[in-house]
Amino acid sequence: KDDENINSQPFMHWRDRFLYCMEAVNRASAATAEVKGHYLNVTAGTVEQMHERAEFAKELGSVIIMIDLVLGYTAIQSISKWARKNDMILHLHRAGNSTYSRQKNHGMNFRVICKWMRMAGVDHIHAGTVVGKLEGDPLMVKGFYDTLLQPHTPVAPELGLFFKQEWASLGKCMPVASGGIHLGQMHQLLHYLGEDVILQFGGGTIGHPDGIQAGAEANRVALESMVQARN
């Protein structure tokens, strides 16, 4: 995926990056006969620029685009409606949330952002890893995941859920575990987060001593081995 800090810098213009990334995606799809994708970050300075980038990603055949939380809630809902209309997956990076969700004396809990983004129609959101860079209390993170996935969340103070919530027919939002995780934590990730989750290994893949492809293969072997062992 693109990093949250990547939008369109002079050394990496967004249009060039999209072209190079989709070339790699198409090569990987052809080599494996599997659907591949790259989260193309369409975050921009204006809503119009964001939609221009999203349209270009669609023209290139991408199945997914990415935005940052710092876009603001109006822009997020705008691109969410565009994604529904154009049959695209919308991935949201929670960049900027810590300025008001990790402060002890002001702001709000990240659980509230999970609710807002689910209502806004986002498909993916970074929701914590328990282990790794976005570590957090396991019960608190489970509260985030339940808020994103469950059709009904009962009162559960140990998870930080102090009021019951009926989601009726509103769609789910897939939680994403990303940030400082690697295959050596696979048993912990599946234990705490379950199997209904997206696991993203960036540096944990690139840092493999035998290279990036070997890192990707190792991730998949570790995941499939743990899933088989659990079931």
Side-chain angles (χ1 to χ4, degrees):
K1 72 176 216 17
D2 282 350
D3 199 41
E4 71 274 16
N5 301 315
I6 295 174
N7 43 73
S8 190
Q9 289 86 347
F11 57 85
M12 185 173 48
H13 190 265
W14 69 270
R15 190 181 298 271
D16 296 331
R17 185 177 76 253
F18 283 19
L19 287 167
Y20 285 129
C21 287
M22 287 309 300
E23 179 184 357
V25 166
N26 292 333
R27 285 183 177 181
S29 297
T32 62
E34 296 176 345
V35 176
K36 303 293 184 181
H38 182 90
Y39 302 1
L40 298 171
N41 192 357
V42 301
T43 301
T46 67
V47 174
E48 290 77 15
Q49 288 177 315
M50 175 179 64
H51 280 274
E52 178 188 358
R53 297 177 188 186
E55 290 285 356
F56 188 63
K58 178 188 173 186
E59 289 176 15
L60 294 179
S62 179
V63 297
I64 186 167
I65 56 172
M66 167 183 165
I67 55 173
D68 293 343
L69 180 65
V70 292
L71 272 176
Y73 303 113
T74 299
I76 288 172
Q77 290 183 100
S78 174
I79 197 66
S80 172
K81 289 182 178 296
W82 180 92
R84 295 291 77 71
K85 183 178 179 180
N86 290 276
D87 200 26
M88 296 278 279
I89 300 170
L90 181 61
H91 174 88
L92 182 131
H93 191 289
R94 67 186 199 179
N97 85 94
S98 60
T99 57
Y100 51 95
S101 70
R102 284 187 179 267
Q103 304 299 323
K104 301 299 183 183
N105 56 351
H106 74 88
M108 60 193 181
N109 193 280
F110 182 70
R111 190 181 312 104
V112 180
I113 300 175
C114 290
K115 286 188 176 185
W116 286 350
M117 293 303 101
R118 183 173 178 178
M119 289 189 290
V122 168
D123 295 307
H124 300 174
I125 185 172
H126 291 220
T129 60
V130 181
V131 296
K133 188 168 64 177
L134 296 181
E135 62 184 350
D137 174 69
L139 292 177
M140 178 180 67
V141 173
K142 178 170 172 46
F144 300 161
Y145 277 55
D146 285 355
T147 297
L148 293 166
L149 290 171
Q150 299 302 323
H152 165 75
T153 48
V155 174
E158 71 278 9
L159 304 182
L161 304 175
F162 299 102
F163 305 94
K164 67 178 181 179
Q165 178 81 52
E166 297 287 351
W167 288 97
S169 60
L170 198 65
K172 300 177 181 180
C173 180
M174 180 64 75
V176 175
S178 175
I181 58 176
H182 55 81
L183 61 85
Q185 301 160 328
M186 194 69 74
H187 60 296
Q188 295 171 295
L189 292 167
L190 293 181
H191 171 72
Y192 288 120
L193 308 178
E195 297 173 15
D196 203 7
V197 62
I198 295 172
L199 302 175
Q200 291 183 172
F201 302 94
T205 302
I206 297 170
H208 194 285
D210 292 331
I212 297 174
Q213 183 173 344
E217 292 175 357
N219 289 337
R220 190 159 182 173
V221 169
L223 174 61
E224 292 178 354
S225 298
M226 287 304 305
V227 170
Q228 289 181 6
R230 285 163 54 89
N231 294 286

